């Protein structure tokens, strides 16, 4: 039966069937299979010894195999979870939630077109023609089909007689409803007289069921008879199929044996070498990872060890390196899942420790004994702390140092006061508890020594602060310089990359695990910078073997130290060598601002010392102590404060105004008191002055001589030789004699005290100039009131103001006027150019004094004028000659000359008598005109001429007036 059918599924090579007569050229028909590339390759599981049963790596490494399949087709087509077969079989495996989306065409599969099926169509066309020809050979089966259809309709009619309940798929007699439907209980009831009828019904039911069974059996038999030929054919085909399968199994077994032998001979050794190389590289990687993990595991103990020695920078670098390794090389390690957060907490702890350590350092540095030593305390420790704080961006650490400076400045003053008070026996510390009260009990020398000690301590204090802050600023500038060098290096790299752009176009780079490897050039052919970069990349922590074949570099290890930032060595001004890392992510603006803040901190230190000194001065000045100082004491205090101010300016490089302002305030108070004392003294002297010529002590003459030498200074203490010298009658000034009163001598000394005060306290120059101007004006106005205004008559009790008093006052004023230009030059040398306008006060004073002197001269002339008017108004031209009037006039002139000649210079005396003579001639001319006496040579004219000759002779006989041109011809009326 099997041989009668030539449609066997397995073709026989020796068969003469027309379907298989054409031999197919396998070399033409079989095309190489283009498999998909391995997008997610996996290493085959199992024991390496079973590698021969798996796809060959040599043959199948570039071909898609069944091992690349993710879902088999039967599982996709048969989904027991669905009630019906869906049109899209993908939903059967991936569920009803599968969304059919457009699949992107694969880059690895070729695009199939109609041209690709041209060869197949050419091959199948002859076979299709044979198939069509065979269809026409067989006879039609219309009669058979018609009979079969009639039989089928009859069977369908018989089956319709069978109730549908028997055809249900869930038919089961165990179900009570089904059972009651098939076998009603009424047919089995035995009650009453209906037994015969029930028995008939049961028999009828049994026959009906038997009839149903016969119909079903007949139909089954009919169906079997219809399909008997196909059944026997299937059985025969099954035996043939089993034969073919047996032969195929033998062929496959033989093929596998051959493949196994080939695998053992040609592939197993090579694959084993590759496998062992890969295993070795994996072991090396695993070993390096474990070693790196062991190193990371020791991070916390190492950090604790570094912190115990205050190596904060090293600890922070280690933490940063460890975190970088955890993020890059050990990411996903379960045992280290908490290490990152622990290191972060440890880093925060280090921040707090560094702040506390810097605070302790600042306290120790500022509170050590203030000796004449400005060495930096533990410079290496300071530099390490500053680097650590900069690394952690704690840029406000200098504020801690500033707070400590304030506290230390307070303690310095307190300690100095305590030490000084403890050495003074007069102060009972048990009775007077407060330090301020104890300080106020000191006298000036004790308090002055205390202030000097405080200033010296503050000077050393500022020098130490400057040295420390300079070290901190040098560290900041080192980091700033490092940033600048990094930018220069980046610019150089960019320039080199621009120059090498032509080379870069010819170099192919393969990207593998973060490295760039040139296929066209060796490392020696690359530019120096590029070679440097390549070497750094090759030693990077992520570098691994390029592939499983790279057995030539089995020692590719992961060095944790290579992940550290690059560092450069720098030397601080103190000679300490430090390593500056590239991980200080501070901008130039932040660093420059920090350096400026540190410099401002030095200025603040100077301000703090000045502020504390001002408070110390104000505490002592509460009871008016400073205002009670004499000139010598205040000058000493001023010089001490000026010296301290200059020292602080030299140390810190900026002026601090608080102490200078306090000194200026105290100086102003001192000037006010100084001026009021001397003005009061001058007022008392003037009120008691009797305007008589005073003797000049030798010390005043020496004082005047020193001023004549060009310097204005107070004389030294009296020596024995000076005390033995007798007073002189006149004061000799540059060869001129000055007759003065005692008040003027003391006024000259007071003026020199003002000038000396300016030299001692330059800051009060303008105030002293104003006060001195006021003093000179006061003397001028007061002396005018007393002499010209005759105020001395009431104040002193003089009987009258004589010509001698007037001449002496004039000469005293002339002496002061002589010194005004010298005083002006003294102040001009000490004023700023913008203050020269204040010198106009001396010009006004000089004018006032000259006016005053002129008024005195006018007063003297007026005295004689009134005398002439009184005497000449009674003059009569008659004998005897000389007349009594002229004798009286000559007598008064002689008295006048006697009164003023020794007081006024000869030239002034001549000028005064010329003015008096002019007044005399005016009055005589008026009287002669009144008497009608003319120059006619008559007797009356002769008498007048004789009197005038007597007057002229007497006047010219006076000392110093012999050459005086009297011009007496003016007494006569000129004839017209």
């Amino acid at each position: 039966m099997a041989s009668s059918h030539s449609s066997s599924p397995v073709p026989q090579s020796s068969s003469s069937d027309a379907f298989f007569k054409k031999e197919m050229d396998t070399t033409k028909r079989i095309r190489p299979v283009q498999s998909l590339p391995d997008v997610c390759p996996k290493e085959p599981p199992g024991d390496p010894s079973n590698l021969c049963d798996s796809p060959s790596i040599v043959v199948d490494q570039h071909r898609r195999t069944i091992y690349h399949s993710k879902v088999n087709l039967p599982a996709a087509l048969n989904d027991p979870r669905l009630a019906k077969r869906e049109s899209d079989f993908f939903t059967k495996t991936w569920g009803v939630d599968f969304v059919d989306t457009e699949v992107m065409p694969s880059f690895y599969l070729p695009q199939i077109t109609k041209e690709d099926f041209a060869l197949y169509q050419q091959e199948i066309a002859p076979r299709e023609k044979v198939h069509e020809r065979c269809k026409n050979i067989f006879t039609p089966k219309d009669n058979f089909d018609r009979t079969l259809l009639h039989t089928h309709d009859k069977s369908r009619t018989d089956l319709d007689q069978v109730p549908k309940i028997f055809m249900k798929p869930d038919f089961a007699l165990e179900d009570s409803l089904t059972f009651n439907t098939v076998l009603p209980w009424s047919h089995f009831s035995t009650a009453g007289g209906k037994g015969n009828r029930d028995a008939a019904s049961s028999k009828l039911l049994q026959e009906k069921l038997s009839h149903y069974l016969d119909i079903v059996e007949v139909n089954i038999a009919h169906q079997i008879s219809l399909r008997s030929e196909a059944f026997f054919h299937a059985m025969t085909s099954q035996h043939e199929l089993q034969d073919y399968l047996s032969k195929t199994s033998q062929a496959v077994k033989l093929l596998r044996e051959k493949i196994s032998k080939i695998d053992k001979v040609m592939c197993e050794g090579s694959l084993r070498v590759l496998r062992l190389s890969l295993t070795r590289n994996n072991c090396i990687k695993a070993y390096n990872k474990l070693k790196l993990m062991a190193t990371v595991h020791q991070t916390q103990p190492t950090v604790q060890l570094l912190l115990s020695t205050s190596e904060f920078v090293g600890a922070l670098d280690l933490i940063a390196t460890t975190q970088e390794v955890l993020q890059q090389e050990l990411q996903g390690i379960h045992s280290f899942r908490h290490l990152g957060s622990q290191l972060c907490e440890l880093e925060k702890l280090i921040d707090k420790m560094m702040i506390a350590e810097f605070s302790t350092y600042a306290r120790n540095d500022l509170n050590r004994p203030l000796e004449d030593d400005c060495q930096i305390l533990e410079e290496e420790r300071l530099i390490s702390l500053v680097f650590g704080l900069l690394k952690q961006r704690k840029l406000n650490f200098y504020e801690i140092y500033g707070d400590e400076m304030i506290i230390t400045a307070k303690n310095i003053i307190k300690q100095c006061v305590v030490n000084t008070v403890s050495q003074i026996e007069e102060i009972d510390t048990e009775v007077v508890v407060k330090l301020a009260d104890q300080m106020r009990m000191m006298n000036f020398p004790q308090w002055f020594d205390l202030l000097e000690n405080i200033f010296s301590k503050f000077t050393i204090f500022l020098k130490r602060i400057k040295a420390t802050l300079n070290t901190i600023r040098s560290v900041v500038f080192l980091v700033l310089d490092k940033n600048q060098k990094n930018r220069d290096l980046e610019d150089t790299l960019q320039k080199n990359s621009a120059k090498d752009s032509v080379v870069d176009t010819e170099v192919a780079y393969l990207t593998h695990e973060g490295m760039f490897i040139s296929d066209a050039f060796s490392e020696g052919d690359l530019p120096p910078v590029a070679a440097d970069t390549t070497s750094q990349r090759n030693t990077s922590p992520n570098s691994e073997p390029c592939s499983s074949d790279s057995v030539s570099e089995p020692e590719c290890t992961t060095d944790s130290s290579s992940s550290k930032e690059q560092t450069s060595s720098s030397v601080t001004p103190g000679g300490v060598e430090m390593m500056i890392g590239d991980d200080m992510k501070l901008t130039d603006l932040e660093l420059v601002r920090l350096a400026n803040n540190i410099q401002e901190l030095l200025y603040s230190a100077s301000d703090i010392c000045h502020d504390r000194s001002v408070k110390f001065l104000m505490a002592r000045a509460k009871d008016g102590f400073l205002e009670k100082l004499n000139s010598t004491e205040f000058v000493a205090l001023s010089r001490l404060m000026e010296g301290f101010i200059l020292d602080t300016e030299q140390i810190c490089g900026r002026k601090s105004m608080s102490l200078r302002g306090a000194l200026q305030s105290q100086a102003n108070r001192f000037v006010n008191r100084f001026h009021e004392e001397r003005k009061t003294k001058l007022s008392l002297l003037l009120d008691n002055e009797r305007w008589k010529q005073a003797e000049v002590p030798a010390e005043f003459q020496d004082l005047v001589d020193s001023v004549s030498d060009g310097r204005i200074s107070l004389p030294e203490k009296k020596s024995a030789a000076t005390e033995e010298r007798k007073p002189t009658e006149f004061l000799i000034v540059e060869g001129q004699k000055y007759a003065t009163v005692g008040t003027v001598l003391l006024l000259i000394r007071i003026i020199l005290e003002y000038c000396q005060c300016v030299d001692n306290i330059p800051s009060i120059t303008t105030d002293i100039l104003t006060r001195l101007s006021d003093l000179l004006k006061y003397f001028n106005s007061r002396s005018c009131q007393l002499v010209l205004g005759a105020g001395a008559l009431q104040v002193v009790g003089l009987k009258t103001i004589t010509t001698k008093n007037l001449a002496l006052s004039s000469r005293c004023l002339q002496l002061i006027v002589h010194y005004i230009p010298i005083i002006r030059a003294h102040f001009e040398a000490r004023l700023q150019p913008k203050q020269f306008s204040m010198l106009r006060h001396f010009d006004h004073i000089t004018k006032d004094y000259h006016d005053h002197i002129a008024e005195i001269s006018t007063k003297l002339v007026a005295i004689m004028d009134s005398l002439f008017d009184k005497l000449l108004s009674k003059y009569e031209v008659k004998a005897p000659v000389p007349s009594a009037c002229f004798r009286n006039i000559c007598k008064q002139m002689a008295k006048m000359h006697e009164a003023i000649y020794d007081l006024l210079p000869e030239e002034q005396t001549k000028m005064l008598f010329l003015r008096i003579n002019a007044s005399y001639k005016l009055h005589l001319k008026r009287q002669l005109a009144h008497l009608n006496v003319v120059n006619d040579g008559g007797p009356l004219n002769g008498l007048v001429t004789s009197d005038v000759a007597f007057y002229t002779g007497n006047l010219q006989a006076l000392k110093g007036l012999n050459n005086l041109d009297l011009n007496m011809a003016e007494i006569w009326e000129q004839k017209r």
Side-chain angles (χ1 to χ4, degrees), residues 475-486:
V475 173
V476 175
F477 285 132
L478 283 177
V479 177
L480 185 61
D481 183 60
K482 176 63 178 177
N483 289 350
Q484 183 64 37
K485 289 181 180 178
N486 289 340

Side-chain angles (χ1 to χ4, degrees), residues 491-652:
D491 294 341
T492 305
L493 289 173
Q494 291 177 359
K495 292 179 181 179
N496 290 335
S497 62
K499 292 178 182 178
D500 300 335
S501 59
V502 178
V503 178
D504 290 341
T505 58
E506 300 175 359
V507 177
Y509 287 97
L510 299 177
T511 306
H512 179 75
E513 297 182 356
M515 295 194 303
F516 297 93
I517 306 170
S518 174
D519 289 318
F521 295 94
S522 62
E523 256 185 33
D525 299 332
L526 293 176
V529 178
D532 248 359
T533 310
T534 305
S535 63
Q536 290 178 10
R537 288 164 177 165
N538 288 340
T539 57
S540 66
N542 289 333
S543 59
E544 295 179 358
C546 297
S547 66
S548 60
D549 303 329
S550 58
V551 294
S552 60
E553 294 179 357
E555 300 298 331
C556 293
T557 59
T558 303
D559 187 4
S560 62
S561 63
S562 65
S563 63
K564 293 182 180 179
E565 298 287 344
Q566 296 179 0
T567 59
S568 63
S569 175
S570 298
V571 180
T572 62
V576 182
E577 184 174 354
M578 294 296 295
M579 301 301 291
I580 306 177
D582 289 338
D583 54 348
M584 290 191 181
K585 305 302 181 183
L586 296 173
T587 63
D588 291 352
L589 180 61
E590 290 175 332
L591 292 173
V592 171
R593 186 184 296 117
L594 177 59
N596 293 337
N597 290 337
I598 294 173
Q599 185 63 36
E600 288 293 332
L601 187 61
L602 180 60
Y603 301 152
S604 300
S606 175
D607 294 340
I608 290 170
C609 294
H610 282 225
D611 293 342
R612 301 312 304 178
S613 301
V614 169
K615 290 185 178 180
F616 178 78
L617 289 173
M618 293 300 102
R620 188 66 183 91
K622 280 186 177 181
D623 55 354
F625 173 77
L626 299 179
E627 298 178 3
K628 298 176 184 177
L629 298 179
N630 56 38
S631 300
T632 304
E633 293 173 343
F634 189 83
V635 167
L637 175 62
S638 176
R639 287 180 176 175
L640 177 63
M641 295 174 67
E642 285 286 349
F644 175 69
I645 291 172
L646 293 177
D647 290 341
T648 55
E649 289 178 0
Q650 183 178 4
I651 294 172
C652 301

Side-chain angles (χ1 to χ4, degrees), residues 223-239:
Q223 292 296 331
I224 291 175
S225 63
L226 291 177
R227 290 171 175 77
S228 60
E229 183 179 358
F231 176 75
F232 289 109
H233 177 71
M235 293 299 295
T236 305
S237 299
Q238 180 69 24
H239 291 302

Side-chain angles (χ1 to χ4, degrees), residues 67-104:
Y67 292 95
H68 295 88
S69 300
K70 301 301 183 292
V71 179
N72 57 356
L73 190 59
L77 296 176
N78 299 292
D79 187 0
R81 294 172 296 178
L82 295 180
K84 62 180 180 178
R85 189 178 304 276
E86 300 290 343
S87 61
D88 188 359
F89 67 88
F90 289 105
T91 59
K92 300 183 177 299
T93 298
W94 296 334
V96 294
D97 296 331
F98 171 76
V99 178
D100 188 9
T101 59
E102 182 179 357
V103 180
M104 295 296 295

Side-chain angles (χ1 to χ4, degrees), residues 21 28 113 189 200 205 218 232 287 290-291 324 400 453 483 524 564 622 681 696 773 810 850 904:
K21 282 184 177 181
K28 295 181 180 180
T113 60
S189 175
L205 178 60
V218 169
F232 289 109
Y287 170 73
L290 291 174
K291 187 165 66 173
E324 182 180 355
I400 300 174
N453 184 28
N483 289 350
K564 293 182 180 179
K622 280 186 177 181
K681 182 179 180 180
V696 179
S773 301
S810 175
H850 282 302
L904 299 177

Side-chain angles (χ1 to χ4, degrees), residues 309-313 357 361 376-388 471 475 572 574-579:
T309 58
S310 299
E311 290 289 340
F312 298 106
V313 178
E357 186 75 10
Y361 174 85
I376 301 175
L377 178 66
E378 300 180 12
E379 184 176 6
E380 293 184 6
R381 177 187 174 195
L382 173 62
I383 294 174
S384 176
L385 282 172
V386 174
F387 271 118
T471 301
V475 173
T572 62
V576 182
E577 184 174 354
M578 294 296 295
M579 301 301 291

Side-chain angles (χ1 to χ4, degrees), residues 641-903:
M641 295 174 67
E642 285 286 349
F644 175 69
I645 291 172
L646 293 177
D647 290 341
T648 55
E649 289 178 0
Q650 183 178 4
I651 294 172
C652 301
R654 191 179 72 172
K655 294 182 179 181
S656 296
M657 303 307 297
S658 57
L659 186 57
R660 192 182 295 274
L663 176 60
Q664 185 67 39
S665 176
Q666 292 299 326
N668 292 337
R669 295 179 183 177
F670 168 77
V671 169
N672 291 333
R673 182 177 57 82
F674 178 87
H675 176 67
E676 291 299 329
E677 288 178 354
R678 279 145 186 80
K679 188 174 181 180
T680 304
K681 182 179 180 180
L682 179 62
S683 178
L684 293 175
L685 290 173
L686 288 173
D687 290 344
N688 294 301
E689 182 59 57
R690 303 190 67 84
W691 299 101
K692 291 183 179 180
Q693 184 178 358
E695 294 182 342
V696 179
E699 60 175 325
F700 284 96
Q701 185 62 53
D702 294 339
L703 180 62
V704 170
D705 293 340
S706 67
V707 175
S708 300
D709 294 338
R711 69 180 190 276
I712 297 180
S713 61
L714 294 175
E716 302 292 336
K717 293 182 178 180
K718 294 181 180 180
S719 61
T722 304
E723 292 179 354
E724 292 176 359
R725 292 165 54 188
K726 294 182 180 180
T728 58
E729 187 176 359
F730 296 96
L731 184 66
I732 309 301
V733 179
E734 296 182 358
Q736 293 188 15
K737 294 181 179 180
Y738 284 88
T740 63
V741 294
T743 300
V744 174
L745 292 175
L746 293 175
L747 176 60
I748 293 175
R749 184 181 181 90
I750 291 173
I751 292 173
L752 295 183
E753 287 178 354
Y754 275 82
C755 295
Q756 185 68 32
C757 188
V758 170
D759 291 337
N760 295 330
I761 312 174
S763 61
I764 60 175
T765 302
T766 55
D767 291 339
I768 287 292
L769 188 150
T770 305
R771 301 302 193 281
L772 180 57
S773 301
D774 179 66
L775 186 71
L776 293 175
K777 290 178 181 179
Y778 176 76
F779 173 77
N780 184 42
S781 61
R782 186 60 178 162
S783 61
C784 182
Q785 293 173 3
L786 292 173
V787 180
L788 283 177
L793 299 178
Q794 291 80 21
V795 176
V796 185
L798 295 179
K799 294 180 180 180
T800 182
I801 301 299
T802 64
T803 56
K804 190 169 186 178
N805 297 138
L806 292 171
L808 186 60
S809 174
S810 175
R811 193 58 174 162
C812 290
L813 292 173
Q814 293 174 22
L815 178 61
I816 300 301
V817 170
H818 173 79
Y819 281 106
I820 287 178
I822 300 175
I823 298 170
R824 176 193 174 101
H826 181 81
F827 277 91
E828 185 176 3
R830 287 154 181 81
L831 286 175
Q832 300 293 332
K834 60 183 180 181
Q835 298 173 337
F836 285 166
S837 60
M838 299 186 66
L839 297 174
R840 69 181 184 276
H841 294 298
F842 292 110
D843 299 333
H844 298 329
I845 292 171
T846 303
K847 181 179 180 301
D848 293 342
Y849 271 68
H850 282 302
D851 293 344
H852 189 183
I853 294 171
E855 289 179 6
I856 293 176
S857 298
T858 302
K859 183 66 176 178
L860 290 173
V861 174
I863 291 173
M864 296 306 296
D865 184 75
S866 64
L867 179 64
F868 293 149
D869 184 45
K870 180 180 179 182
L871 294 176
L872 290 176
S873 64
K874 300 177 181 180
Y875 173 63
E876 294 180 357
V877 183
K878 64 181 181 177
V881 177
S883 64
C885 177
F886 274 79
R887 286 194 187 99
N888 197 6
I889 289 173
C890 290
K891 182 180 178 181
Q892 294 299 327
M893 294 286 281
K895 287 182 179 180
M896 169 70 76
H897 180 271
E898 181 183 2
I900 68 174
Y901 181 76
D902 293 332
L903 301 179

